[in-house]
Amino acid sequence: MANSFKNSVLALRAQQISESRREFNARGGKMNRCEQCLIAKHYCICKGVDYAQCGAAVCLLMYHNESFKPSNTGRLIAEIIPDNHAFRWDRTDPDPALLALINDPKYQPMVVFPAEDVEQGRAVTEVNTVQGKKPLFIFLDGTWREAKKMIRKSPYLDNLPVLSVTADKLSDYRLRVAPHAHQLGTAEVGIMVLALAGEAEASKKLENHFIKFRDAYLLGKRNKGRPAV
């Protein structure tokens, strides 16, 4: 089934571009990219993207201009999970819609972040759902340094539990190099979280989509957007 619902990350990106006071120039702006997947057009992966039936919701809290980056993998999660939301992070003036989402009684929100970087007793390692509520996984989407800043300086997240996931394999994310090999890209974390929540179909579909994206992105970059010879 083709993906027909709104990708909230792309919607956020379009909103930020429309509100910008200066001309928007993306990284690798000279490359002719697909406006949907942001990969070089000759390597577009939009055809056949298959969303998953999923009992969980996702929220991408994105650092400043993260939604502009063609290498961002948070939007892959929003392409697979129907109930998806994305907001630009702000320390002092969070989007009212984000606050409303966090406080919506139909959701059970939890921040996805490593246990060693939050206060003792806040982290959980299992997804224990509350009856009548849908898990809402909040991903802090940015570099490792940016994500640490977001968890420390977002008072509106302070009362939420932190779901801690541990990488059981080294990251396959080669689009940007993390300071440490065990640090994962956002989509890779999403794969693990969905599996932990018992959403096996969604986890597998996201993994397949991530691999397809990663390989096409790197191939397009290597060939500077031109067709492979």
Side-chain angles (χ1 to χ4, degrees), residues 67-216:
S67 66
F68 293 153
K69 298 175 182 177
S71 59
N72 172 268
T73 65
R75 71 176 180 276
L76 303 181
I77 303 175
E79 287 173 352
I80 298 298
I81 307 303
D83 192 349
N84 67 86
H85 310 262
F87 302 94
R88 183 180 185 272
W89 177 75
D90 193 291
R91 180 176 65 86
T92 59
D93 189 25
D95 191 319
L98 168 63
L99 301 182
L101 178 68
I102 292 173
N103 292 293
D104 190 325
K106 76 178 181 181
Y107 290 115
Q108 181 185 348
M110 58 194 80
V111 182
V112 180
F113 203 75
E116 58 266 25
D117 289 289
V118 296
E119 58 270 25
Q120 190 173 2
R122 187 180 175 191
V124 297
T125 56
E126 296 180 352
V127 180
N128 295 313
T129 57
V130 176
Q131 188 173 3
K133 289 182 178 287
K134 177 186 284 192
L136 172 66
F137 300 117
I138 302 172
F139 297 91
L140 306 181
D141 201 3
T143 66
W144 179 240
R145 180 177 295 180
E146 291 165 353
K148 291 178 74 172
K149 179 179 179 181
M150 292 161 75
I151 194 72
R152 291 197 313 266
K153 298 187 176 184
S154 303
Y156 43 92
L157 301 179
D158 285 350
N159 294 325
L160 301 181
V162 170
L163 177 63
S164 176
V165 293
T166 304
D168 56 2
K169 61 180 180 178
L170 295 180
S171 175
D172 283 333
Y173 184 47
R174 294 173 288 163
L175 312 187
R176 286 182 263 165
V177 179
H180 303 288
H182 67 276
Q183 292 174 11
L184 304 175
T186 305
E188 290 178 293
V189 176
I191 293 165
M192 297 172 63
V193 166
L194 291 168
L196 192 62
E199 299 288 348
E201 178 198 354
S203 178
K204 187 60 180 177
K205 285 187 175 182
L206 179 57
E207 181 178 18
N208 291 341
H209 190 39
F210 167 74
I211 292 170
K212 189 176 180 181
F213 170 84
R214 180 200 64 196
D215 293 348

Side-chain angles (χ1 to χ4, degrees), residues 13-68:
R13 180 177 185 270
Q15 177 188 338
Q16 288 186 264
I17 292 174
S18 70
E19 293 174 352
S20 178
R21 295 181 180 179
R22 59 184 181 180
E23 185 178 358
F24 170 65
N25 292 305
R27 289 185 180 183
K30 294 181 180 179
M31 187 178 292
N32 188 17
R33 297 182 184 276
C34 168
E35 286 298 314
Q36 182 76 16
C37 67
L38 303 183
I39 294 175
K41 282 192 174 181
H42 289 296
Y43 302 94
C44 171
I45 62 168
C46 291
K47 186 176 181 180
V49 175
D50 190 15
Y51 76 80
Q53 298 292 337
C54 184
V58 296
C59 174
L60 285 302
L61 190 53
M62 311 191 80
Y63 195 84
H64 297 181
N65 295 327
E66 184 66 27
S67 66
F68 293 153

